[in-house]
Amino acid sequence: MASVAHVEEWVDDCATIAEIEAALVDLRYRHSHGDQPDLRASVLTHLAWVPPEWQEAAADTLAGLGERHPSRTLLLFPQADKEDSLAAHVHLECYELAGIERHLCSEVVELRRRGTRAEAPASIAAPLLLPDLPVFLRWRGRPDFVSTVFGQLVDMVDRLVVDSAEWPDVPSAFAELVGQFDRVAVSDIAWRRTLPWRRALARAWPELPDRLTGPPAETALVAGWLEDRAGVQVEVDRADTLPVGGDRKPSDLLS
């Protein structure tokens, strides 16, 4: 993986969408001039809905994505307990490229929507989407699937990415997630996390267990997979770790 070359900040506490757009234009201008201008090769707009308790984890995951998926990332930090306002922090994250002096850069916009502005995220995010590129939404924590906020964001994206391991009420919550399948493409990181486990079970076919032990979300998903694909019903027990795999970093799984 390439190392971080530099992070250049432009402005803190933009108050309007126009100021945010002006900051992005300025960044692009300053990094498109010179003998070795940096590269911008965005492949998508990455939205992330990040309640306060998930901010540190979201920052770690974003840092781990690095140069693998250059994008414009909009981090949406709701702060409903504050007075109505919008604050934004705009910067570039640039990575060294092997064999050349130029860097690969991604734009990052941290949006703190305060007070009632937290209830209308689409009106803030929509003008900042990159045109003609897919939009992915990573929702941290348990979504309120019937909320206005969730509906606004899901209706403007191509794919919703969740991690049901972050939910306290699985497996019952899966019924609400299934209700979104006709609305938007959905990826569950917990399902991806079970891939080594599912491979091990497939290799053991037809000798399959009658009991699975693992974290609630992943175990429920694998149990459902066995019932659907092999017609085998299994009991489930809870454990803190997966029996197979489980050592992938969050950024690897999201990638």
Side-chain angles (χ1 to χ4, degrees):
M1 179 180 297
S3 59
V4 177
H6 63 277
V7 177
E8 179 176 345
E9 300 179 356
W10 188 87
V11 66
D12 201 1
D13 287 338
C14 298
T16 66
I17 296 296
E19 289 179 353
I20 297 170
E21 291 176 330
L24 291 167
V25 169
D26 183 80
L27 280 176
R28 289 196 296 268
Y29 177 81
R30 286 195 277 139
H31 283 263
S32 62
H33 291 70
D35 294 335
Q36 294 291 335
D38 286 331
L39 301 173
R40 293 178 60 258
S42 296
V43 297
L44 56 88
T45 300
H46 173 206
L47 294 178
W49 174 266
V50 188
E53 65 271 23
W54 291 103
Q55 289 189 17
E56 182 176 351
D60 290 344
T61 301
L62 176 62
L65 285 175
E67 81 289 357
R68 287 179 288 184
H69 296 283
S71 62
R72 173 176 292 177
T73 297
L74 307 179
L75 298 173
L76 309 176
F77 299 137
Q79 297 178 327
D81 58 338
K82 306 290 185 179
E83 293 186 5
D84 289 6
S85 64
L86 170 65
H89 183 77
V90 181
H91 62 273
L92 283 183
E93 291 189 352
C94 298
Y95 298 85
E96 297 175 349
L97 295 174
I100 64 175
E101 297 181 3
R102 303 169 77 182
H103 302 132
L104 180 65
C105 297
S106 294
E107 301 162 332
V108 180
V109 183
E110 300 177 6
L111 293 163
R112 287 173 171 80
R113 301 162 340 284
R114 298 165 178 158
T116 58
R117 300 201 71 169
E119 301 172 3
S123 63
I124 299 169
L128 301 174
L129 302 181
L130 292 171
D132 303 321
L133 289 176
V135 183
F136 282 23
L137 169 62
R138 170 67 170 102
W139 194 284
R140 298 305 304 243
R142 168 68 153 91
D144 180 356
F145 293 105
V146 299
S147 70
T148 301
V149 169
F150 179 82
Q152 286 181 14
L153 291 176
V154 165
D155 286 344
M156 62 184 287
V157 305
D158 299 289
R159 180 170 295 274
L160 169 67
V161 182
V162 298
D163 187 347
S164 57
E166 299 173 351
W167 305 353
D169 56 341
V170 292
S172 61
F174 288 134
E176 294 183 65
L177 181 63
V178 170
Q180 306 301 317
F181 288 177
D182 291 335
R183 186 178 189 179
V184 65
V186 177
S187 295
D188 186 352
I189 292 173
W191 174 246
R192 175 62 182 84
R193 198 178 287 117
T194 68
L195 181 57
W197 194 4
R198 287 181 277 129
R199 284 174 172 165
L201 290 168
R203 285 194 295 267
W205 171 265
E207 300 297 326
L208 296 175
D210 56 9
R211 182 174 297 273
L212 299 176
T213 301
E218 291 88 342
T219 307
L221 289 168
V222 173
W225 172 72
L226 283 177
E227 182 175 359
D228 179 67
R229 295 304 177 92
V232 175
Q233 293 187 344
V234 297
E235 300 293 327
V236 297
D237 290 327
R238 178 166 183 163
D240 293 334
T241 59
L242 289 167
V244 180
D247 55 352
R248 298 290 299 277
K249 295 180 179 179
S251 53
D252 294 333
L253 294 165
L254 181 58
S255 178

